[in-house]
Amino acid sequence: MEALRDFFLPPAKSTLAHEVDALFWFVHLSSLVLTIGILIAIAYFIIKYRRKSENDVTPVITHNNKLEVTWSVIPLIITLVLFGWGFQTYVSLTTPPDDAYEVNVTAQKWLWNFTYENGARSTGELHVPAGRPIKLIMSSQDVIHSFFVPDYRIKQDVVPGRYTEVWFRVPKAGESIIFCTEYCGTGHSDMSGKVVVHEQEQFDTWLADNAGGGGGKPSDLAPAEWGKQLAQEQACATCHSVDGSQMTGPTWQGLFEETQQMSDGSTVTADENYIRESILNPSAKIVDGYQPVMPSYQGQLNDEQISAIIEYIKTLK
Ligand code: CUA
């Protein structure tokens, strides 16, 4: 059984991998059983009901209720089980735990860049602690890429102009390969990387050693600190308070993940994509009670700067 598993699938290194694999085996083994059953039935009927003499006449059969109900209800039950199970697995694949450790991922032709909460950066290698849920917040600087780690059974498109998320938890230290699995040009097949899973202590050491990254660029600050600095440079505080008071625009305090009432009656959760849209295209959604007076920062702030400002807003609780 283990040899069969290793033949068909890469090693299952994340907690999600086991859930996905269970479903994989259920679908494939039940299909195999059904296929063999059908083949045997076909062979049996060919022999049993073959034409034995010139005078053989097939009787007229209009219907058979018992048979028809049986072959409708059994597949229906199997399909419902598959749906329920598949949906459950989909939900756990797409719902990161609240205490997940967040890493920002920026894809570009043809590299993976990772930014950590203390400002550490790495290219091509994603460093994470073992045993903790990891949530990646991903965006692309150019074309669509896709983040794929076969060992973890996770795959998610990385799209320019918006954020997508993926999460995983790996119980043991080790390494796994990252592939780009969306064709993105000449270097697509070289756009690989690896996840390096450390024990928590080794990870803390790695993170501390790489804090700041070196070079004195403003981006060497922690993203949230850089975001605070950018917000000052851009004079965001002219309209947005950080202490809950109401100014020309809504306050940033407690904004992140908050449900916002829009002037058109709809409600929006202030997640990364909403804040990004509000910075680039402020008039797309107007919070109830405010005027559409904010200018667009399209061309003034790049993706990395916007991500930093969002990180800053997240800290304003
Ligand atoms: Cu990036 Cu293919």
Side-chain angles (χ1 to χ4, degrees):
M1 190 64 204
E2 229 158 83
L4 186 73
R5 198 187 59 202
D6 294 345
F7 177 74
F8 280 105
L9 296 169
K13 291 191 185 167
S14 75
T15 48
L16 293 168
H18 298 286
E19 285 185 54
V20 173
D21 289 4
L23 190 58
F24 173 90
W25 287 115
F26 177 76
V27 170
H28 285 84
L29 293 179
S30 61
S31 302
L32 188 71
V33 168
L34 280 172
T35 307
I36 291 172
I38 290 168
L39 287 175
I40 290 171
I42 290 174
Y44 173 74
F45 289 148
I46 286 174
I47 295 161
K48 180 166 185 194
Y49 297 109
R50 69 186 187 281
R51 199 175 188 201
K52 288 169 192 129
S53 73
E54 283 296 304
N55 307 327
D56 268 4
V57 180
T58 307
V60 178
I61 302 166
T62 57
H63 64 283
N64 183 329
N65 283 338
K66 220 189 261 176
L67 211 54
E68 285 165 26
V69 167
T70 310
W71 77 49
S72 301
V73 169
I74 292 175
L76 179 70
I77 292 170
I78 296 175
T79 317
L80 286 176
V81 167
L82 274 180
F83 172 78
W85 192 350
F87 185 70
Q88 203 185 12
T89 307
Y90 173 80
V91 169
S92 51
L93 277 167
T94 49
T95 317
D98 286 338
D99 60 339
Y101 182 77
E102 292 184 7
V103 179
N104 270 287
V105 181
T106 312
Q108 65 184 92
K109 292 194 273 186
W110 290 281
L111 299 166
W112 298 102
N113 293 305
F114 305 99
T115 311
Y116 306 80
E117 113 267 14
N118 71 343
R121 289 152 163 272
S122 59
T123 298
E125 276 185 13
L126 168 62
H127 295 262
V128 296
R132 273 182 78 178
I134 311 293
K135 175 170 148 188
L136 304 180
I137 301 169
M138 311 189 289
S139 192
S140 167
Q141 289 189 1
D142 36 48
V143 297
I144 301 179
H145 302 273
S146 188
F147 185 89
F148 179 34
V149 184
D151 289 355
Y152 302 169
R153 316 287 192 266
I154 54 167
K155 184 194 279 185
Q156 174 62 53
D157 278 5
V158 182
V159 185
R162 60 164 297 152
Y163 296 98
T164 51
E165 289 175 3
V166 74
W167 82 275
F168 57 88
R169 180 186 359 232
V170 183
K172 285 191 199 136
E175 293 186 0
S176 291
I177 295 177
I178 303 168
F179 290 110
C180 175
T181 184
E182 181 69 50
Y183 181 67
C184 54
T186 320
H188 163 69
S189 58
D190 294 324
M191 193 175 165
S192 59
K194 64 179 174 183
V195 189
V196 182
V197 182
H198 304 270
E199 296 300 344
Q200 183 73 49
E201 264 174 53
Q202 273 87 14
F203 175 73
D204 291 339
T205 311
W206 180 89
L207 196 63
D209 287 350
N210 285 273
K217 297 190 306 266
S219 49
D220 295 330
L221 292 170
E225 279 171 47
W226 187 32
K228 185 176 183 181
Q229 191 179 307
L230 285 163
Q232 272 157 17
E233 284 167 22
Q234 300 288 335
C236 302
T238 314
C239 301
H240 300 282
S241 76
V242 295
D243 62 2
S245 61
Q246 192 170 333
M247 297 166 76
T248 312
T251 183
W252 283 359
Q253 190 188 44
L255 171 67
F256 191 71
E257 300 272 69
E258 189 80 347
T259 304
Q260 301 274 305
Q261 177 78 41
M262 296 296 135
S263 57
D264 65 359
S266 62
T267 53
V268 172
T269 303
D271 60 5
E272 285 99 344
N273 282 310
Y274 165 78
I275 297 172
R276 181 194 166 81
E277 183 189 52
S278 299
I279 293 171
L280 294 175
N281 183 13
S283 49
K285 295 188 180 75
I286 301 297
V287 178
D288 198 27
Y290 293 90
Q291 295 300 310
V293 291
M294 175 167 159
S296 166
Y297 284 79
Q298 186 90 49
Q300 281 197 57
L301 290 169
N302 65 29
D303 287 353
E304 242 184 327
Q305 293 169 323
I306 292 171
S307 298
I309 291 174
I310 294 172
E311 290 306 314
Y312 169 51
I313 292 175
K314 283 185 191 174
T315 64
L316 302 168
K317 289 176 184 146

